[in-house]
Coordinates of all heavy atoms in Angstrom, one line a residue:
M15 N 28.2 -15.1 -37.9 CA 28.1 -16.5 -37.5 C 27.3 -16.6 -36.2 O 27.6 -15.9 -35.2 CB 29.4 -17.2 -37.5 CG 29.3 -18.6 -37.2 SD 30.9 -19.4 -36.8 CE 31.3 -20.1 -38.4
N16 N 26.4 -17.5 -36.1 CA 25.6 -17.8 -34.9 C 26.4 -18.7 -34.0 O 27.0 -19.6 -34.4 CB 24.3 -18.4 -35.2 CG 23.3 -17.5 -36.0 OD1 23.4 -16.3 -35.8 ND2 22.4 -18.0 -36.7
P17 N 26.3 -18.4 -32.6 CA 27.0 -19.2 -31.7 C 26.3 -20.6 -31.6 O 25.1 -20.7 -31.9 CB 26.9 -18.5 -30.3 CG 25.8 -17.6 -30.5 CD 25.7 -17.2 -32.0
P18 N 27.0 -21.7 -31.3 CA 26.4 -23.0 -31.2 C 25.3 -23.0 -30.2 O 25.4 -22.4 -29.1 CB 27.5 -23.9 -30.8 CG 28.6 -23.0 -30.3 CD 28.4 -21.7 -30.9
K19 N 24.2 -23.6 -30.5 CA 23.0 -23.7 -29.6 C 23.3 -24.7 -28.4 O 23.8 -25.8 -28.7 CB 21.8 -24.2 -30.3 CG 20.5 -24.0 -29.6 CD 19.3 -24.1 -30.5 CE 18.1 -23.7 -29.8 NZ 17.0 -23.7 -30.7
Q20 N 23.1 -24.2 -27.2 CA 23.4 -25.1 -26.0 C 22.2 -26.0 -25.7 O 21.0 -25.6 -26.0 CB 23.6 -24.2 -24.8 CG 25.0 -23.4 -24.9 CD 25.2 -22.7 -23.6 OE1 24.3 -22.1 -23.0 NE2 26.5 -22.7 -23.2
D21 N 22.5 -27.1 -25.2 CA 21.4 -28.0 -24.8 C 20.7 -27.5 -23.6 O 21.3 -27.3 -22.5 CB 22.1 -29.4 -24.4 CG 21.1 -30.4 -23.8 OD1 19.9 -30.3 -24.2 OD2 21.6 -31.3 -23.1
P22 N 19.4 -27.2 -23.7 CA 18.7 -26.6 -22.6 C 18.7 -27.5 -21.3 O 18.7 -26.9 -20.2 CB 17.2 -26.4 -23.1 CG 17.1 -27.1 -24.4 CD 18.5 -27.4 -24.8
L23 N 18.7 -28.8 -21.4 CA 18.7 -29.6 -20.3 C 20.0 -29.5 -19.5 O 20.0 -29.3 -18.3 CB 18.5 -31.1 -20.7 CG 18.4 -32.1 -19.6 CD1 17.3 -31.8 -18.6 CD2 18.2 -33.5 -20.1
A24 N 21.1 -29.4 -20.2 CA 22.4 -29.3 -19.6 C 22.5 -27.9 -18.9 O 23.1 -27.8 -17.8 CB 23.5 -29.4 -20.7
V25 N 22.0 -26.9 -19.6 CA 22.0 -25.5 -19.0 C 21.2 -25.5 -17.7 O 21.7 -24.9 -16.7 CB 21.5 -24.5 -20.0 CG1 21.3 -23.1 -19.4 CG2 22.4 -24.4 -21.2
L26 N 20.0 -26.0 -17.7 CA 19.2 -26.0 -16.5 C 19.9 -26.8 -15.4 O 19.9 -26.3 -14.2 CB 17.8 -26.6 -16.8 CG 16.9 -25.8 -17.6 CD1 15.6 -26.5 -18.0 CD2 16.5 -24.5 -16.8
R27 N 20.4 -27.9 -15.7 CA 21.1 -28.8 -14.7 C 22.3 -28.0 -14.1 O 22.6 -28.1 -12.9 CB 21.5 -30.1 -15.2 CG 20.4 -31.0 -15.4 CD 20.8 -32.3 -16.1 NE 19.7 -33.3 -16.1 CZ 19.7 -34.4 -16.8 NH1 20.8 -34.7 -17.5 NH2 18.7 -35.2 -16.8
Q28 N 23.1 -27.3 -14.9 CA 24.2 -26.6 -14.4 C 23.8 -25.3 -13.6 O 24.4 -25.0 -12.6 CB 25.1 -26.1 -15.6 CG 26.4 -25.4 -15.2 CD 27.2 -25.1 -16.4 OE1 26.9 -25.3 -17.5 NE2 28.4 -24.5 -16.1
T29 N 22.7 -24.7 -14.0 CA 22.3 -23.5 -13.4 C 21.6 -23.8 -12.0 O 21.7 -23.0 -11.1 CB 21.3 -22.7 -14.3 OG1 21.9 -22.5 -15.6 CG2 20.9 -21.4 -13.7
F30 N 20.9 -24.9 -11.9 CA 20.2 -25.2 -10.7 C 20.6 -26.6 -10.2 O 19.9 -27.6 -10.3 CB 18.7 -25.2 -11.0 CG 18.2 -23.9 -11.6 CD1 18.0 -23.8 -12.9 CD2 18.0 -22.8 -10.7 CE1 17.5 -22.5 -13.5 CE2 17.5 -21.6 -11.2 CZ 17.3 -21.5 -12.6
P31 N 21.8 -26.7 -9.6 CA 22.3 -28.0 -9.2 C 21.6 -28.6 -8.0 O 21.8 -29.8 -7.8 CB 23.8 -27.6 -8.7 CG 23.7 -26.2 -8.4 CD 22.7 -25.6 -9.3
G32 N 20.7 -27.9 -7.3 CA 20.0 -28.5 -6.2 C 18.7 -29.2 -6.6 O 18.0 -29.7 -5.8
W33 N 18.5 -29.4 -7.9 CA 17.3 -30.0 -8.5 C 17.7 -31.1 -9.4 O 18.7 -31.0 -10.2 CB 16.5 -28.9 -9.3 CG 15.9 -27.9 -8.5 CD1 16.6 -26.7 -8.0 CD2 14.6 -27.7 -8.0 NE1 15.7 -25.9 -7.3 CE2 14.5 -26.5 -7.3 CE3 13.5 -28.5 -8.2 CZ2 13.3 -26.1 -6.8 CZ3 12.3 -28.1 -7.7 CH2 12.2 -26.9 -7.0
Y34 N 16.9 -32.2 -9.4 CA 16.9 -33.2 -10.4 C 16.1 -32.7 -11.5 O 14.9 -32.4 -11.3 CB 16.4 -34.5 -9.9 CG 16.2 -35.5 -11.0 CD1 17.2 -36.2 -11.6 CD2 14.9 -35.7 -11.6 CE1 17.0 -37.1 -12.6 CE2 14.7 -36.6 -12.6 CZ 15.7 -37.3 -13.1 OH 15.5 -38.1 -14.2
I35 N 16.6 -32.5 -12.7 CA 15.9 -31.9 -13.9 C 15.9 -32.9 -15.0 O 17.0 -33.5 -15.3 CB 16.5 -30.6 -14.3 CG1 16.5 -29.6 -13.1 CG2 15.8 -30.0 -15.5 CD1 17.3 -28.3 -13.3
D36 N 14.8 -33.1 -15.7 CA 14.7 -34.0 -16.8 C 13.7 -33.5 -17.8 O 12.8 -32.6 -17.5 CB 14.4 -35.4 -16.4 CG 14.9 -36.5 -17.3 OD1 15.5 -36.1 -18.4 OD2 14.7 -37.7 -17.0
H37 N 13.7 -34.1 -19.0 CA 12.7 -33.8 -20.0 C 12.1 -35.1 -20.5 O 12.8 -36.0 -20.9 CB 13.4 -33.1 -21.2 CG 12.5 -32.8 -22.3 ND1 12.8 -33.1 -23.6 CD2 11.3 -32.2 -22.4 CE1 11.8 -32.7 -24.4 NE2 10.9 -32.2 -23.7
D38 N 10.8 -35.2 -20.3 CA 10.0 -36.3 -20.8 C 9.6 -36.1 -22.2 O 8.7 -35.3 -22.5 CB 8.8 -36.5 -19.9 CG 8.0 -37.8 -20.2 OD1 8.0 -38.2 -21.4 OD2 7.4 -38.3 -19.3
T39 N 10.4 -36.7 -23.1 CA 10.1 -36.5 -24.5 C 8.8 -37.1 -25.0 O 8.2 -36.6 -26.0 CB 11.2 -37.1 -25.4 OG1 11.4 -38.5 -25.1 CG2 12.5 -36.4 -25.1
V40 N 8.3 -38.1 -24.3 CA 7.0 -38.7 -24.7 C 5.8 -37.7 -24.4 O 5.0 -37.5 -25.2 CB 6.8 -40.1 -23.9 CG1 5.4 -40.6 -24.2 CG2 7.8 -41.1 -24.3
L41 N 5.8 -37.2 -23.2 CA 4.8 -36.3 -22.8 C 5.1 -34.8 -23.1 O 4.2 -34.0 -23.1 CB 4.5 -36.4 -21.3 CG 4.0 -37.7 -20.8 CD1 3.9 -37.7 -19.2 CD2 2.7 -38.1 -21.4
G42 N 6.4 -34.6 -23.5 CA 6.8 -33.2 -23.8 C 6.8 -32.3 -22.6 O 6.5 -31.1 -22.7
R43 N 7.1 -32.8 -21.4 CA 7.1 -32.0 -20.2 C 8.5 -31.9 -19.7 O 9.3 -32.9 -19.8 CB 6.2 -32.7 -19.1 CG 4.7 -32.9 -19.6 CD 4.0 -31.6 -20.0 NE 3.7 -30.8 -18.8 CZ 3.1 -29.6 -18.9 NH1 2.9 -29.1 -20.0 NH2 2.9 -29.0 -17.8
W44 N 8.8 -30.8 -19.1 CA 10.0 -30.6 -18.4 C 9.7 -30.6 -16.9 O 8.8 -30.0 -16.4 CB 10.6 -29.2 -18.7 CG 11.1 -29.1 -20.2 CD1 10.3 -29.0 -21.3 CD2 12.4 -29.3 -20.6 NE1 11.1 -29.0 -22.4 CE2 12.4 -29.2 -22.0 CE3 13.6 -29.4 -19.9 CZ2 13.6 -29.3 -22.8 CZ3 14.8 -29.5 -20.7 CH2 14.7 -29.5 -22.1
I45 N 10.5 -31.4 -16.2 CA 10.3 -31.6 -14.7 C 11.5 -31.3 -13.9 O 12.6 -31.4 -14.4 CB 9.8 -33.0 -14.4 CG1 10.9 -34.1 -14.8 CG2 8.5 -33.4 -15.1 CD1 10.7 -35.4 -14.3
A46 N 11.2 -30.9 -12.7 CA 12.3 -30.7 -11.7 C 11.8 -31.1 -10.3 O 10.7 -30.8 -10.0 CB 12.7 -29.2 -11.7
M47 N 12.7 -31.8 -9.6 CA 12.4 -32.2 -8.3 C 13.6 -31.9 -7.4 O 14.8 -32.2 -7.8 CB 12.1 -33.7 -8.3 CG 11.7 -34.3 -6.9 SD 11.1 -36.0 -7.0 CE 12.4 -36.8 -8.0
R48 N 13.4 -31.3 -6.2 CA 14.5 -31.0 -5.3 C 15.2 -32.2 -4.8 O 14.6 -33.3 -4.6 CB 13.9 -30.2 -4.1 CG 13.4 -28.9 -4.4 CD 12.9 -28.2 -3.1 NE 12.2 -27.0 -3.4 CZ 12.7 -25.8 -3.4 NH1 14.0 -25.6 -3.1 NH2 12.0 -24.7 -3.7
Y49 N 16.5 -32.1 -4.6 CA 17.3 -33.2 -4.0 C 17.1 -33.3 -2.5 O 17.2 -34.3 -2.0 CB 18.8 -33.0 -4.3 CG 19.2 -33.4 -5.7 CD1 19.7 -32.4 -6.6 CD2 19.0 -34.7 -6.2 CE1 20.1 -32.8 -7.9 CE2 19.3 -35.0 -7.5 CZ 19.9 -34.1 -8.3 OH 20.3 -34.4 -9.6
R50 N 16.7 -32.2 -1.9 CA 16.6 -32.2 -0.4 C 15.1 -31.9 -0.1 O 14.4 -31.2 -0.8 CB 17.5 -31.2 0.2 CG 17.2 -29.8 -0.1 CD 17.9 -28.8 0.8 NE 17.6 -27.4 0.5 CZ 16.5 -26.8 0.8 NH1 15.5 -27.5 1.5 NH2 16.2 -25.6 0.5
P51 N 14.7 -32.3 1.1 CA 13.3 -32.0 1.5 C 13.2 -30.5 1.8 O 14.2 -29.8 2.1 CB 13.1 -32.8 2.8 CG 14.3 -33.6 3.0 CD 15.4 -33.2 2.0
L52 N 11.9 -30.0 1.7 CA 11.7 -28.6 2.1 C 11.6 -28.5 3.6 O 11.2 -29.4 4.3 CB 10.3 -28.2 1.5 CG 10.2 -28.1 0.0 CD1 8.8 -27.9 -0.4 CD2 11.1 -27.0 -0.5
T53 N 12.1 -27.3 4.1 CA 11.9 -27.0 5.5 C 10.5 -26.5 5.7 O 9.7 -26.2 4.8 CB 12.9 -25.8 5.9 OG1 12.5 -24.7 5.2 CG2 14.3 -26.2 5.6
T54 N 10.1 -26.5 6.9 CA 8.8 -26.0 7.3 C 8.6 -24.5 6.8 O 7.5 -24.2 6.3 CB 8.5 -26.1 8.8 OG1 8.7 -27.4 9.2 CG2 7.2 -25.6 9.2
Q55 N 9.6 -23.7 7.0 CA 9.5 -22.3 6.6 C 9.4 -22.2 5.1 O 8.6 -21.4 4.6 CB 10.8 -21.5 7.0 CG 11.0 -21.4 8.5 CD 11.6 -22.6 9.1 OE1 12.0 -23.6 8.5 NE2 11.8 -22.5 10.4
E56 N 10.1 -23.0 4.3 CA 9.9 -23.0 2.8 C 8.5 -23.4 2.4 O 7.9 -22.8 1.5 CB 11.0 -23.9 2.2 CG 12.4 -23.4 2.3 CD 13.4 -24.4 1.9 OE1 13.2 -25.6 2.1 OE2 14.5 -24.0 1.3
T57 N 8.0 -24.5 3.1 CA 6.7 -24.9 2.7 C 5.6 -23.8 3.0 O 4.8 -23.5 2.2 CB 6.3 -26.2 3.5 OG1 7.3 -27.2 3.2 CG2 4.9 -26.7 3.2
K58 N 5.8 -23.2 4.2 CA 4.8 -22.1 4.5 C 4.9 -20.9 3.6 O 4.0 -20.2 3.3 CB 5.1 -21.6 6.0 CG 4.6 -22.6 7.0 CD 4.9 -22.1 8.4 CE 4.5 -23.1 9.4 NZ 4.8 -22.6 10.8
A59 N 6.1 -20.7 3.0 CA 6.4 -19.6 2.1 C 5.9 -19.9 0.7 O 5.9 -19.0 -0.2 CB 7.8 -19.2 2.1
G60 N 5.5 -21.2 0.4 CA 5.0 -21.5 -0.9 C 6.0 -22.2 -1.8 O 5.7 -22.4 -3.0
A61 N 7.1 -22.7 -1.2 CA 8.1 -23.4 -2.0 C 7.5 -24.7 -2.5 O 6.7 -25.3 -1.8 CB 9.4 -23.6 -1.2
K62 N 8.0 -25.2 -3.6 CA 7.5 -26.4 -4.2 C 8.6 -27.5 -4.2 O 9.8 -27.1 -4.4 CB 7.0 -26.2 -5.7 CG 6.0 -25.2 -5.8 CD 4.7 -25.6 -5.2 CE 3.6 -24.6 -5.4 NZ 2.5 -24.6 -4.4
Y63 N 8.2 -28.7 -4.1 CA 9.2 -29.8 -4.1 C 9.3 -30.3 -5.6 O 10.4 -30.8 -6.0 CB 8.7 -31.0 -3.2 CG 9.7 -32.2 -3.2 CD1 10.9 -32.1 -2.5 CD2 9.3 -33.3 -3.8 CE1 11.8 -33.2 -2.5 CE2 10.2 -34.4 -3.9 CZ 11.4 -34.4 -3.2 OH 12.2 -35.4 -3.2
F64 N 8.3 -30.2 -6.3 CA 8.2 -30.7 -7.7 C 7.7 -29.7 -8.6 O 6.7 -29.0 -8.3 CB 7.3 -32.0 -7.7 CG 7.2 -32.6 -9.1 CD1 8.2 -33.5 -9.6 CD2 6.1 -32.4 -9.9 CE1 8.1 -34.1 -10.8 CE2 6.0 -32.9 -11.1 CZ 7.0 -33.8 -11.6
L65 N 8.3 -29.5 -9.8 CA 7.8 -28.5 -10.8 C 7.7 -29.2 -12.1 O 8.4 -30.2 -12.4 CB 8.8 -27.4 -10.9 CG 9.1 -26.5 -9.7 CD1 10.3 -25.6 -10.0 CD2 7.9 -25.7 -9.3
Q66 N 6.7 -28.8 -12.9 CA 6.5 -29.4 -14.2 C 6.0 -28.2 -15.1 O 5.1 -27.5 -14.8 CB 5.4 -30.4 -14.1 CG 5.0 -31.0 -15.5 CD 4.0 -32.2 -15.3 OE1 4.4 -33.3 -15.0 NE2 2.7 -31.8 -15.4
Q67 N 6.7 -28.1 -16.3 CA 6.4 -27.1 -17.2 C 6.4 -27.7 -18.6 O 6.9 -28.7 -18.9 CB 7.3 -25.9 -17.1 CG 7.3 -25.2 -15.8 CD 6.1 -24.4 -15.6 OE1 5.4 -24.0 -16.6 NE2 5.7 -24.2 -14.4
A68 N 5.8 -26.9 -19.6 CA 5.7 -27.4 -21.0 C 7.0 -27.1 -21.8 O 7.2 -27.7 -22.8 CB 4.5 -26.7 -21.7
C69 N 7.8 -26.2 -21.3 CA 9.0 -25.9 -22.1 C 10.2 -25.6 -21.1 O 9.9 -25.2 -19.9 CB 8.8 -24.8 -23.1 SG 8.5 -23.2 -22.3
S70 N 11.4 -25.7 -21.6 CA 12.6 -25.4 -20.8 C 12.6 -24.0 -20.3 O 13.0 -23.7 -19.1 CB 13.8 -25.8 -21.6 OG 14.0 -24.9 -22.7
E71 N 12.2 -23.0 -21.1 CA 12.2 -21.6 -20.7 C 11.3 -21.4 -19.5 O 11.7 -20.7 -18.5 CB 11.8 -20.7 -21.8 CG 12.8 -20.7 -23.0 CD 12.6 -21.8 -23.9 OE1 11.6 -22.6 -23.8 OE2 13.4 -22.0 -24.8
R72 N 10.1 -22.0 -19.5 CA 9.2 -21.8 -18.4 C 9.7 -22.5 -17.1 O 9.5 -22.0 -16.0 CB 7.8 -22.3 -18.7 CG 7.0 -21.4 -19.7 CD 5.6 -21.9 -19.9 NE 4.9 -21.0 -20.8 CZ 3.8 -21.3 -21.4 NH1 3.2 -22.4 -21.1 NH2 3.2 -20.4 -22.2
L73 N 10.3 -23.7 -17.3 CA 10.9 -24.4 -16.2 C 12.0 -23.5 -15.6 O 12.1 -23.4 -14.3 CB 11.4 -25.7 -16.5 CG 11.9 -26.6 -15.3 CD1 10.9 -26.8 -14.3 CD2 12.5 -27.9 -15.8
G74 N 12.8 -22.9 -16.4 CA 13.9 -22.1 -15.9 C 13.4 -20.9 -15.1 O 13.9 -20.6 -14.0
V75 N 12.3 -20.3 -15.6 CA 11.7 -19.2 -14.8 C 11.2 -19.7 -13.5 O 11.4 -19.0 -12.4 CB 10.6 -18.5 -15.6 CG1 9.8 -17.5 -14.8 CG2 11.2 -17.8 -16.8
A76 N 10.5 -20.8 -13.5 CA 9.9 -21.4 -12.2 C 11.0 -21.7 -11.3 O 10.9 -21.5 -10.0 CB 9.1 -22.6 -12.5
L77 N 12.1 -22.3 -11.8 CA 13.3 -22.6 -10.9 C 13.9 -21.4 -10.3 O 14.3 -21.3 -9.2 CB 14.3 -23.5 -11.6 CG 13.9 -24.9 -11.9 CD1 14.7 -25.5 -13.0 CD2 13.9 -25.7 -10.7
A78 N 14.0 -20.3 -11.1 CA 14.6 -19.0 -10.7 C 13.7 -18.5 -9.6 O 14.2 -18.0 -8.5 CB 14.8 -18.1 -11.8
D79 N 12.4 -18.5 -9.7 CA 11.4 -18.1 -8.7 C 11.6 -18.8 -7.4 O 11.6 -18.3 -6.3 CB 10.0 -18.2 -9.2 CG 9.6 -17.2 -10.3 OD1 10.4 -16.2 -10.5 OD2 8.6 -17.4 -11.0
Q80 N 11.8 -20.2 -7.5 CA 12.0 -21.0 -6.3 C 13.3 -20.7 -5.7 O 13.4 -20.7 -4.4 CB 11.9 -22.5 -6.7 CG 10.5 -23.0 -7.1 CD 9.5 -22.9 -5.9 OE1 9.8 -23.6 -4.9 NE2 8.5 -22.2 -6.1
T81 N 14.3 -20.4 -6.4 CA 15.6 -20.0 -5.9 C 15.5 -18.8 -5.1 O 16.0 -18.6 -4.0 CB 16.7 -19.9 -7.0 OG1 16.8 -21.2 -7.6 CG2 18.0 -19.5 -6.4
E82 N 14.8 -17.8 -5.6 CA 14.6 -16.5 -4.9 C 13.8 -16.7 -3.7 O 14.1 -16.1 -2.6 CB 13.9 -15.5 -5.9 CG 13.6 -14.2 -5.2 CD 14.8 -13.4 -4.7 OE1 16.0 -13.7 -5.1 OE2 14.6 -12.6 -3.8
L83 N 12.7 -17.5 -3.8 CA 11.9 -17.8 -2.6 C 12.7 -18.4 -1.5 O 12.6 -18.0 -0.3 CB 10.7 -18.7 -3.0 CG 9.7 -19.1 -1.9 CD1 9.0 -17.8 -1.4 CD2 8.7 -20.1 -2.4
A84 N 13.6 -19.4 -1.8 CA 14.4 -20.0 -0.8 C 15.4 -19.0 -0.2 O 15.7 -19.0 1.0 CB 15.2 -21.2 -1.5
R85 N 15.9 -18.1 -1.1 CA 16.9 -17.1 -0.5 C 16.2 -16.2 0.5 O 16.7 -15.9 1.5 CB 17.4 -16.3 -1.7 CG 18.5 -15.3 -1.2 CD 18.8 -14.2 -2.3 NE 17.7 -13.3 -2.6 CZ 17.3 -12.3 -1.8 NH1 17.9 -12.1 -0.6 NH2 16.3 -11.6 -2.2
R86 N 15.0 -15.8 0.1 CA 14.2 -14.9 1.0 C 13.8 -15.6 2.3 O 13.8 -15.0 3.4 CB 13.0 -14.3 0.3 CG 13.2 -13.3 -0.7 CD 12.0 -12.5 -1.1 NE 10.8 -13.3 -1.2 CZ 10.2 -13.8 -2.3 NH1 10.8 -13.6 -3.4 NH2 9.1 -14.5 -2.2
T87 N 13.5 -16.9 2.2 CA 13.1 -17.7 3.4 C 14.3 -17.8 4.3 O 14.1 -17.7 5.5 CB 12.6 -19.0 2.9 OG1 11.5 -18.9 2.1 CG2 12.1 -19.9 4.1
R88 N 15.5 -18.0 3.8 CA 16.7 -18.2 4.6 C 17.0 -16.9 5.3 O 17.6 -16.9 6.4 CB 17.9 -18.6 3.8 CG 17.9 -20.1 3.4 CD 19.2 -20.5 2.8 NE 19.6 -19.7 1.7 CZ 19.3 -20.0 0.4 NH1 18.6 -21.0 0.1 NH2 19.8 -19.2 -0.6
T89 N 16.7 -15.7 4.7 CA 17.1 -14.5 5.3 C 16.0 -13.8 6.2 O 16.2 -12.8 6.8 CB 17.6 -13.5 4.3 OG1 16.5 -13.2 3.4 CG2 18.8 -14.0 3.5
A90 N 14.8 -14.5 6.2 CA 13.7 -13.9 6.9 C 13.9 -14.1 8.4 O 14.5 -15.1 8.8 CB 12.4 -14.7 6.5
P91 N 13.5 -13.1 9.2 CA 13.7 -13.2 10.7 C 12.9 -14.3 11.3 O 11.9 -14.7 10.8 CB 13.3 -11.9 11.2 CG 12.5 -11.2 10.1 CD 12.8 -11.9 8.8

């Protein structure tokens, strides 16, 4: 028996609570916007305030990359 399929929007929102995440069903785009402004260090490191992808999987990867970038920025000397 297959496990019940989870709602990708709910999974992304739970996994990345620092982001406003939504799915535009008209345009078919997945978007994410940070709840807080970027620091100067994050901006210089290439962090993004807004992300847009064609599918939930790609948005999840982009959000994971941004999370790692933020982690490295916080621990950088």
Side-chain angles (χ1 to χ4, degrees):
M15 181 190 265
N16 292 333
K19 195 167 188 171
Q20 291 186 319
D21 173 30
L23 183 57
V25 171
L26 286 170
R27 286 177 173 168
Q28 183 178 5
T29 306
F30 303 101
W33 293 79
Y34 167 79
I35 301 170
D36 206 357
H37 178 227
D38 184 330
T39 56
V40 174
L41 297 177
R43 303 301 285 175
W44 289 80
I45 61 166
M47 185 170 47
R48 291 180 190 265
Y49 282 120
R50 64 165 184 78
L52 293 169
T53 65
T54 303
Q55 293 85 358
E56 289 170 328
T57 302
K58 286 180 181 177
K62 304 293 183 202
Y63 180 74
F64 180 82
L65 299 172
Q66 177 177 275
Q67 296 292 332
C69 67
S70 61
E71 293 83 6
R72 287 185 181 171
L73 184 60
V75 169
L77 287 165
D79 290 346
Q80 289 293 302
T81 300
E82 176 60 21
L83 182 64
R85 186 195 65 76
R86 285 195 324 259
T87 302
R88 281 193 304 271
T89 60

